[in-house]
Amino acid sequence: MSDYVMLQGKFKYILFRNEENFYTVAKFHDEIENDTLTITGYFSSIDEEVSYALKGTYLDHPKYGLQFACLEAKKIAPKDEESYIHYFSGGNFRYIGKKTAKRIVETLGLDCIAKIKEDKSCLDLVPSLTLKQKNSIIENLQQEEEGFEKLIPLLSIAGIGHANLLSIHRFYGKEAFNQVMENPYRLVEDIQGIGFKMADKIGQYLNIDKKDERRIYAYILSLVDKMTMNSGNSFVSYEELLANFMNLSHLDETIFSSVLNQILFRGSLIQEENRIYPLAQYEAEVGIANALSQFPVGSLEDYDKQRLEKEIHALQKELGIIYDETQIQAIHHFFQEDFVILTGGPGTGKTTLVRSFVHLFKRLYPAKVVACCAPTGRAAKHLSEVCDVKATTIHSLLQWNLEANLFQKNEEDPIQADLLIIDEFSMVDQWLFYHILLACGLVKKICVIGDEDQLPSVAPGSLLRDLIVSKQFGYRQLTHIYRQKEGSEVIQLALAIRQESLDLTKFHQDVQFEECAIHEIRPKIQAVIQVALEKGLTLEDIQVIAPMYHGTAGIDALNMSLQDLFNPAKENKKEVQQGLRLFREGDKVMQLKNQPDDDVYNGDIGFIEEIQIDDPKHPEQALIFVLFGDHVVEYSHQNLDKLSLAYCISIHKSQGSEYPMVIVPICAQHRIMLRKRLLYTAVTRSSKYLYIFGSREEFERGSYLEEKNVRKTTLVQRLTQQNSFLW
């Protein structure tokens, strides 16, 4: 052992590397001797930003001279001071930048958190620390319990954000640091929002072997999740999983089988025949089938059919409408069935029927409670207007706890309603519907409304399709088109896409299709919006929706050009840059993630009312105030990633919303995305006027293309099997 030499420092750059056997020659700066020398050895990877401790011997190479042959290399944790500076300036502590954070650590030392918790007046010792900054530090540290500060190095080791650190601490308690250091890969299974790559950074820092079963365990779990999310299937086949594992990991089948058996034994994945399910998807499928086979637990009292007829006639007079025979049948069907599915495209009268369901239900059951919900805030607002009942988002109805990722409404604390109506049901995934059903112990009738030709949910499953195909529930499909006035060409175009009878030459009024080269799309979109604004429409009435983010006519490029046109920079307009994104007072923005505490949800669109920048030298401390409808939400650097510009949004994000005027760019760059369901969804976002710019050929081609892969689930089998088990 005495022959070995120890070095400590950082790699500067690689001179030579063999990717097959990882033999590497690199320049290394020895921090102890303050010297640079050549290192040789076998390294699976080298991080030039991390300090290493190397063990090896000096060799005198006949051609290259003195070299250090490394036999063992270990990463050294970033300096504690660096981690603590990162912690204080990372965005959680409002008004604290890197320079201020450095002053705090230099003044109070590496036990600064303990000192502040013991005596907050020690902050008075830090030069130039303002009252706002002191209060920010004190308020945040008061929320943290003993043991949390040990996790702080994970900020610089793995880039784990403060919110995830809190989740880790909440889950493991005082032993959080020890648990993570003992097995960082447990984070993949235990902590929502931490994936394999993040956990693996800690694993590499701890020098955990790439073939370690803990690492492979987490990798297989994450691989199954990734495959199901990408495909929309609720399971993967054993053969697909094995092939992907071997192709990506370069490990053999023996270790795969061994670790997979451990995962299956622990129940983290579930296997049926050759199908392997993520636990959440398996529980959702089984749970939905079980819950619906027993639904409802308690039934409504029988209603008087003659009285229903009288109330229908009275309602028609009050609303000034006449229901046709199909609509009358749908109303009777609604009252006869416990679980009702109503589908139809635009203009087929879904809105009229939903309103009649609610009005008539209240008249026949005046003492009963009606609850209405939808996946997005905009869809919930529309449902409220239609039904004259306050509608909420599904997450709000279930009282979702963002930090714990749990729903407060469940079997023990159910939804207090007798009738539950869920709109835009095509967007609802299996896992979410399972949790809705868990909270429906008191609900006696459920009515789901959707359009089966729209895009399915983002998460795995094809829920609306499966419920219909199972033929276990009351189902009514509306096909007759009633709306023949303003916007009727939009409806006709949607119908033509559904029926695969598209002829774009027929549309000249509500639908305008202008063929143009890709470089002409942006100026033409700008011009048509300018005209619309001059005619009295607002930016809230107008929505550009595109298939993809990248490309000349992609979402990112369109947002930048439209921002410059409709909200240009001015001296009196404050703005904040975050990475490539620029936010300016007056900008149209979209919420990207659910934020229930602020009553703002994924897909909600608002406008930036004000940007506060107290210190121009620290724009990261700016506060942004966004008006969503009738309430304002505050954003800081910490949660600014939940906002994006919304002059142009994705077709997927637009689902569940409807706008008076919709503009869609279509080009060959988007070809991979252009399929029947996507184009149908885009067209049906418009309630009055639709403008399409770009390639007629690509639009026509895409409108006839079905999805590449029909989503695979086993929910239909479970629903039919459950029914066959009943007496």
Side-chain angles (χ1 to χ4, degrees):
M1 290 292 292
S2 58
D3 294 331
Y4 291 127
V5 177
M6 300 298 297
L7 302 180
Q8 182 176 315
K10 290 183 179 181
F11 286 97
K12 305 296 289 182
Y13 53 88
I14 294 173
L15 296 167
F16 169 79
R17 182 168 173 80
N18 184 332
E19 290 295 344
E20 291 186 5
N21 62 11
F22 303 128
Y23 178 74
T24 304
V25 181
K27 284 294 183 181
F28 184 84
H29 179 71
D30 183 347
E31 293 173 344
I32 297 174
E33 298 295 331
N34 194 24
D35 191 17
T36 300
L37 66 159
T38 302
I39 305 289
T40 65
Y42 296 86
F43 303 92
S44 60
S45 65
I46 283 179
D47 191 334
E48 295 173 5
E49 299 301 319
V50 172
S51 293
Y52 285 79
L54 307 182
K55 182 171 80 171
T57 58
Y58 285 105
L59 296 176
D60 191 3
H61 193 280
K63 184 176 180 180
Y64 298 109
L66 187 66
Q67 295 181 338
F68 184 84
C70 179
L71 301 175
E72 184 179 313
K74 290 185 178 181
K75 289 183 181 180
I76 299 172
K79 293 178 181 179
D80 283 344
E81 180 177 321
E82 180 183 329
S83 294
Y84 279 83
I85 292 171
H86 191 142
Y87 170 63
F88 280 113
S89 63
N92 185 60
F93 295 90
R94 194 179 296 169
Y95 315 119
I96 306 294
K98 281 194 173 181
K99 289 182 180 178
T100 305
K102 189 174 183 180
R103 288 202 307 274
I104 293 168
V105 179
E106 287 177 346
T107 304
L108 301 180
L110 298 181
D111 58 346
C112 51
I113 290 179
K115 285 181 178 176
I116 297 167
K117 285 184 175 181
E118 184 178 344
D119 181 9
K120 60 187 179 184
S121 66
C122 69
L123 288 169
D124 296 336
L125 302 173
V126 180
S128 305
L129 201 62
T130 67
L131 182 61
K132 277 186 178 180
Q133 291 170 330
K134 290 177 185 177
N135 289 336
S136 176
I137 295 168
I138 293 166
E139 287 170 10
N140 278 277
L141 290 182
Q142 282 175 344
Q143 297 170 6
E144 297 169 1
E145 300 171 13
E146 180 187 352
F148 179 82
E149 58 266 27
K150 287 185 179 179
L151 294 170
I152 293 172
L154 298 184
L155 285 163
S156 50
I157 294 171
I160 293 177
H162 187 266
N164 280 329
L165 285 190
L166 286 172
S167 297
I168 293 169
H169 186 252
R170 190 181 299 111
F171 190 87
Y172 299 116
K174 294 179 181 179
E175 290 300 309
F177 180 77
N178 294 334
Q179 292 277 353
V180 173
M181 292 300 103
E182 186 270 326
N183 177 15
Y185 296 102
R186 60 171 27 112
L187 295 172
V188 174
E189 189 170 7
D190 293 342
I191 308 299
Q192 178 81 11
I194 296 185
F196 176 79
K197 286 184 178 180
M198 196 174 285
D200 199 38
K201 286 182 181 179
I202 306 173
Q204 289 177 31
Y205 162 71
L206 295 172
N207 283 324
I208 294 177
D209 190 273
K210 287 187 177 288
K211 293 184 179 180
D212 190 292
E213 289 192 349
R214 295 171 297 175
R215 183 175 186 269
I216 296 168
Y217 190 110
Y219 182 67
I220 292 175
L221 281 179
S222 66
L223 185 57
V224 172
D225 276 337
K226 184 177 180 180
M227 289 173 69
T228 52
M229 280 300 296
N230 288 345
S231 66
N233 301 333
S234 60
F235 60 85
V236 298
S237 72
Y238 179 93
E239 295 77 15
E240 285 177 307
L241 180 58
L242 173 61
N244 268 279
F245 175 84
M246 294 178 68
N247 182 50
L248 295 169
S249 70
H250 307 294
L251 298 173
D252 59 36
E253 185 175 353
T254 306
I255 193 165
F256 170 80
S257 299
S258 172
V259 175
L260 179 61
N261 285 334
Q262 293 178 41
I263 298 174
L264 295 172
F265 180 77
R266 286 188 58 183
S268 301
L269 294 175
I270 306 294
Q271 183 170 8
E272 283 184 343
E273 299 175 352
N274 78 323
R275 302 184 301 272
I276 296 173
Y277 300 79
L279 179 59
Q281 292 304 317
Y282 181 81
E283 286 182 342
E285 283 199 359
V286 173
I288 289 169
N290 287 339
L292 289 179
S293 70
Q294 300 169 47
F295 181 82
V297 177
S299 299
L300 289 165
E301 304 84 19
D302 290 338
Y303 63 95
D304 186 330
K305 292 181 181 178
Q306 289 185 339
R307 187 185 168 197
L308 175 59
E309 290 285 358
K310 290 179 181 178
E311 294 293 354
I312 291 173
H313 289 301
L315 185 61
Q316 289 181 107
K317 287 183 179 180
E318 289 174 25
L319 299 178
I321 58 175
I322 298 175
Y323 300 126
D324 66 16
E325 188 58 34
T326 304
Q327 292 172 316
I328 296 290
Q329 289 175 2
I331 291 170
H332 281 287
H333 185 74
F334 168 78
F335 282 95
Q336 290 163 4
E337 301 289 341
D338 297 320
F339 189 94
V340 183
I341 303 171
L342 181 70
T343 69
T348 55
K350 292 198 304 290
T351 298
T352 300
L353 277 176
V354 173
R355 181 168 54 184
S356 69
F357 292 166
V358 173
H359 280 288
L360 293 169
F361 184 87
K362 285 181 173 181
R363 296 183 185 194
L364 266 61
Y365 300 100
K368 302 300 182 184
V369 179
V370 179
C372 296
C373 63
T376 68
R378 289 181 71 91
K381 182 181 178 183
H382 174 69
L383 190 59
S384 294
E385 294 165 352
V386 167
C387 298
D388 296 327
V389 173
K390 184 184 178 184
T392 66
T393 63
I394 294 171
H395 283 77
S396 180
L397 178 70
L398 296 178
Q399 296 180 16
W400 181 50
N401 183 315
L402 173 63
E403 292 182 352
N405 193 34
L406 295 171
F407 295 109
Q408 313 276 13
K409 290 294 180 182
N410 49 37
E411 307 100 312
E412 296 177 1
D413 184 11
I415 297 166
Q416 300 293 314
D418 300 281
L419 167 63
L420 175 63
I421 293 178
I422 309 172
D423 199 7
E424 295 292 348
F425 194 70
S426 60
M427 299 175 67
V428 179
D429 61 80
Q430 292 185 158
W431 182 83
L432 182 57
F433 186 53
Y434 168 53
H435 284 276
I436 292 172
L437 291 176
L438 285 178
C440 281
L442 299 179
V443 175
K444 300 170 180 65
K445 185 186 290 290
I446 295 176
C447 176
V448 301
I449 304 134
D451 185 343
E452 55 198 287
D453 292 306
Q454 284 188 30
L455 292 166
S457 59
V458 175
S462 190
L463 181 59
L464 181 57
R465 177 204 69 184
D466 287 350
L467 292 175
I468 294 169
V469 171
S470 74
K471 297 182 180 178
Q472 303 297 307
F473 312 101
Y475 168 52
R476 282 289 182 273
Q477 182 183 32
L478 305 176
T479 56
H480 180 72
I481 295 175
Y482 297 93
R483 198 196 307 166
Q484 296 294 344
K485 296 181 182 178
E486 218 171 31
S488 63
E489 275 198 349
V490 174
I491 295 168
Q492 294 299 332
L493 176 57
L495 186 63
I497 294 173
R498 282 181 63 184
Q499 296 176 345
E500 298 187 353
S501 58
L502 183 65
D503 182 359
L504 289 172
T505 61
K506 293 181 178 179
F507 303 99
H508 304 289
Q509 297 175 354
D510 307 324
V511 175
Q512 300 282 334
F513 196 118
E514 185 170 344
E515 189 158 19
C516 61
I518 189 169
H519 67 273
E520 295 178 299
I521 290 177
R522 272 189 282 170
K524 286 185 179 294
I525 288 176
Q526 291 175 350
V528 77
I529 294 178
Q530 189 73 64
V531 171
L533 292 173
E534 290 169 2
K535 288 182 177 179
L537 270 70
T538 68
L539 281 177
E540 202 166 359
D541 299 324
I542 305 164
Q543 189 58 60
V544 183
I545 58 177
M548 297 179 71
Y549 280 87
H550 305 300
T552 308
I555 296 164
D556 292 335
L558 284 165
N559 265 323
M560 290 175 68
S561 66
L562 292 171
Q563 181 188 41
D564 288 342
L565 179 66
F566 298 112
N567 191 31
K570 291 183 180 178
E571 283 187 19
N572 62 335
K573 280 189 179 180
K574 295 177 184 175
E575 54 187 43
V576 172
Q577 184 91 36
Q578 190 190 54
L580 296 175
R581 301 182 306 159
L582 176 72
F583 294 103
R584 184 177 293 136
E585 288 178 337
D587 271 338
K588 182 179 183 180
V589 292
M590 170 178 272
Q591 177 76 11
L592 299 177
K593 296 179 181 178
N594 291 328
Q595 208 164 308
D597 290 346
D598 294 310
D599 193 27
V600 60
Y601 296 88
N602 185 0
D604 286 354
I605 288 179
F607 289 85
I608 297 178
E609 287 251 299
E610 182 186 2
I611 296 177
Q612 288 184 3
I613 304 176
D614 291 339
D615 185 353
K617 294 181 180 179
H618 295 288
E620 74 278 358
Q621 298 171 12
L623 297 177
I624 296 180
F625 297 89
V626 180
L627 178 65
F628 290 97
D630 57 358
H631 69 289
V632 174
V633 179
E634 177 185 322
Y635 295 83
S636 64
H637 179 79
Q638 184 185 352
N639 62 349
L640 202 53
D641 60 338
K642 294 179 181 177
L643 275 187
S644 71
L645 290 177
Y647 298 99
C648 179
I649 62 176
S650 72
I651 295 172
H652 282 83
K653 285 286 187 186
S654 73
Q655 197 169 355
S657 301
E658 196 175 60
Y659 308 89
M661 178 173 166
V662 168
I663 305 166
V664 187
I666 298 292
C667 61
Q669 289 180 345
H670 302 157
R671 180 177 294 169
I672 193 172
M673 295 289 291
L674 298 179
R675 295 188 174 272
K676 183 177 178 180
R677 278 183 181 267
L678 185 95
L679 293 175
Y680 175 84
T681 302
V683 166
T684 54
R685 297 311 90 210
S686 169
S687 62
K688 290 184 180 179
Y689 309 111
L690 175 68
Y691 291 83
I692 305 171
F693 296 102
S695 170
R696 183 184 300 267
E697 179 186 350
E698 293 296 340
F699 188 91
E700 290 175 340
R701 174 186 168 276
S703 68
Y704 288 95
L705 281 178
E706 298 289 351
E707 301 304 308
K708 279 185 179 179
N709 301 303
V710 177
R711 292 188 172 192
K712 299 174 185 175
T713 76
T714 43
L715 180 58
V716 174
Q717 294 95 303
R718 298 187 198 283
L719 289 166
T720 52
Q721 286 170 1
Q722 278 290 348
N723 196 49
S724 66
F725 293 152
L726 299 177
W727 287 85

